[in-house]
Amino acid sequence: MEKIEEEAVDQLLGKTVENKQIILKGYIEGIPKESDMELIIGKKLNLEKVPKGSNGLLVKNLYLSCDPFMRGRMRDFTGSYLPPFVPGEVIEGFGVSKVLDSENPDFKPGDIISGFTGWEEYSLIYNTEQLRKIQADDMPLSYHVGLLGMPGFTAYAGFYEVCTPKRGDYVFVSAASGAVGQLVGQLAKLHGCYVVGCAGTKQKVDILKSKLGFDGAFNYKEEADLDKALKRHFPEGIDIYFDNVGGSILDAALLNMRIHGRIAICGMVSQQSLSNPQGIHNLFQLINKRVKMQGFLQSDYLHLFPRFLEDVTSLYKQGTITYLEDMNEGLESGPSAFVGLFSGRNMGKQVIRVAHH
């Protein structure tokens, strides 16, 4: 773990501080814009002790994660696995935070934790069940919202549990340079698979092949016919498609699946910004090729998280896998960084550093 400067917690407690916050101004339709969010100075926060018996924590936020699923919470829609954000209130997401005060026996001041927190400098967290204490090691703390956090675990659980890979499988990954796709591709290569990814810029395509070890890659924006592009890269068809985008790429992949192929439906980022998402035209291929297509949430597999953490940390320290991270500085950069996810502006996992530690 990076060296953490020992900030005297008792010197902070009792002080009244300004608490910068990112709020959602109102429910949105379509692709998120920076103007949908606002940086405000919230109510001055009195860093007093956490209320007795509340089981809560007072934390200083260090890193915040930009994730596409947050877009769904910006809509006035209650039919998802997470409730919508409340207009005028602080946005929340995955983060890495330092505990300043605790009424929870599982956490003490000075602990570094990961889990849901507010897009603000300081947060009071009462829903502590989903928090995880980060054990001291030499891994960068920001990796716990990426490689060693929800995106990395999504890749791990989705690939091994949903895709059930076999050595020699032909694997296709969309949004392959993103937070999830980059690890899926590398795990597939380590498993003895042939791996091709797609991305949205020449630079990302080059990185897939030169840094991440993909066997092939293509820029989907430069392909007039995605079906032909996949047939060029997979003349014998696709065994596993790890779908992060949905839409036309999923439709083309369905035409190229092999018998008993597996499709993991993970993110569908192309559809998350649409209030009226596109339909899929080639679902008959599920019958024709006896393909299994399954949606999943990483939270379904949390019993595997300790094994994941051990496996992926070991692979990274051995230099067997690479990790791409795109770091923005300052809470005020949050809206721009988040919006950039939907135009493909980020290179790897998008993270916001709120505070140096």
Side-chain angles (χ1 to χ4, degrees):
M1 185 183 293
E2 300 164 10
K3 186 179 186 305
I4 301 168
E5 295 176 8
E6 284 306 323
E7 188 173 46
V9 172
D10 56 355
Q11 291 180 8
L12 277 174
L13 291 175
K15 286 190 174 181
T16 299
V17 298
E18 290 186 336
N19 191 26
K20 291 180 183 175
Q21 301 173 317
I22 303 291
I23 64 166
L24 178 68
K25 290 164 71 175
Y27 289 127
I28 70 173
E29 299 288 338
I31 296 172
K33 306 183 296 293
E34 289 185 48
S35 58
D36 295 323
M37 295 160 274
E38 184 179 2
L39 175 71
I40 66 167
I41 304 296
K43 293 178 183 174
K44 287 196 171 182
L45 187 64
N46 192 346
L47 300 185
E48 291 290 357
K49 294 280 186 183
V50 178
K52 288 288 184 188
S54 67
N55 208 43
L57 304 176
L58 173 65
V59 303
K60 177 182 180 181
N61 294 313
L62 306 176
Y63 297 97
L64 298 174
S65 177
C66 293
D67 294 299
F69 79 86
M70 296 165 64
R71 155 68 184 100
R73 302 189 68 187
M74 293 179 167
R75 289 194 299 150
D76 187 9
F77 177 70
T78 57
S80 184
Y81 59 95
L82 286 172
F85 294 137
V86 178
E89 294 192 7
V90 177
I91 290 170
E92 68 173 9
F94 287 103
V96 171
S97 312
K98 182 176 183 178
V99 177
L100 299 181
D101 191 43
S102 172
E103 275 291 306
N104 187 303
D106 295 329
F107 303 98
K108 65 181 187 302
D111 283 348
I112 304 297
I113 61 171
S114 65
F116 271 116
T117 189
W119 274 37
E120 55 189 347
E121 293 179 297
Y122 299 93
S123 295
L124 276 167
I125 302 175
Y126 294 108
N127 179 16
T128 57
E129 291 180 4
Q130 47 82 35
L131 298 176
R132 180 175 60 86
K133 189 185 301 185
I134 296 174
Q135 301 302 323
D137 64 13
D138 54 358
M139 297 291 281
L141 288 180
S142 60
Y143 283 21
H144 289 272
V145 292
L147 180 67
L148 304 177
M150 181 275 290
F153 187 52
T154 297
Y156 185 91
F159 181 64
Y160 290 120
E161 301 300 311
V162 178
C163 297
T164 57
K166 301 186 297 292
R167 185 176 181 82
D169 276 347
Y170 295 95
V171 177
F172 174 46
V173 185
S174 54
S177 67
V180 174
Q182 59 173 298
L183 184 56
V184 172
Q186 292 180 88
L187 293 176
K189 284 300 299 175
L190 290 172
H191 203 75
C193 301
Y194 174 82
V195 185
V196 173
C198 70
T201 68
K202 180 182 184 301
Q203 182 187 17
K204 290 179 179 180
V205 167
D206 290 343
I207 283 175
L208 289 176
K209 293 186 286 188
S210 64
K211 287 192 176 179
L212 298 178
F214 283 58
D215 295 292
F218 64 92
N219 183 348
Y220 69 89
K221 294 178 181 176
E222 294 180 349
E223 300 290 344
D225 188 325
L226 290 169
D227 177 34
K228 286 182 179 176
L230 289 176
K231 283 180 167 57
R232 186 171 74 242
H233 285 279
F234 295 99
E236 298 182 50
I238 299 168
D239 292 296
I240 291 172
Y241 172 39
F242 199 101
D243 177 44
N244 290 305
V245 299
S248 58
I249 297 179
L250 172 58
D251 240 351
L254 282 164
L255 293 174
N256 288 275
M257 298 303 294
R258 301 178 79 183
I259 291 174
H260 299 305
R262 287 85 71 204
I263 301 175
I265 302 295
C266 178
M268 287 208 168
V269 71
S270 75
Q271 303 301 296
Q272 285 174 332
S273 297
L274 302 176
S275 296
N276 295 302
Q278 301 170 9
I280 299 297
H281 303 285
N282 298 320
L283 287 176
F284 180 74
Q285 296 300 319
L286 298 180
I287 303 169
N288 192 32
K289 299 289 182 64
R290 286 84 84 196
V291 171
K292 182 182 82 169
M293 183 163 72
Q294 180 181 339
F296 73 99
L297 297 175
Q298 53 89 26
S299 54
D300 297 336
Y301 301 95
L302 287 178
H303 60 286
L304 299 176
F305 194 89
R307 189 180 82 191
F308 150 76
L309 206 56
E310 183 179 346
D311 288 351
V312 173
T313 299
S314 176
L315 289 170
Y316 181 80
K317 288 183 175 180
Q318 293 166 19
T320 309
I321 59 172
T322 299
Y323 176 56
L324 305 177
E325 182 180 67
D326 194 333
M327 182 75 73
N328 277 43
E329 292 289 341
L331 183 65
E332 62 278 3
S333 71
S336 173
F338 176 70
V339 168
L341 293 177
F342 299 90
S343 62
R345 194 169 67 217
N346 57 302
M347 179 64 73
K349 171 61 193 164
Q350 185 67 69
V351 181
I352 304 159
R353 189 188 339 245
V354 180
H356 289 264
H357 44 81

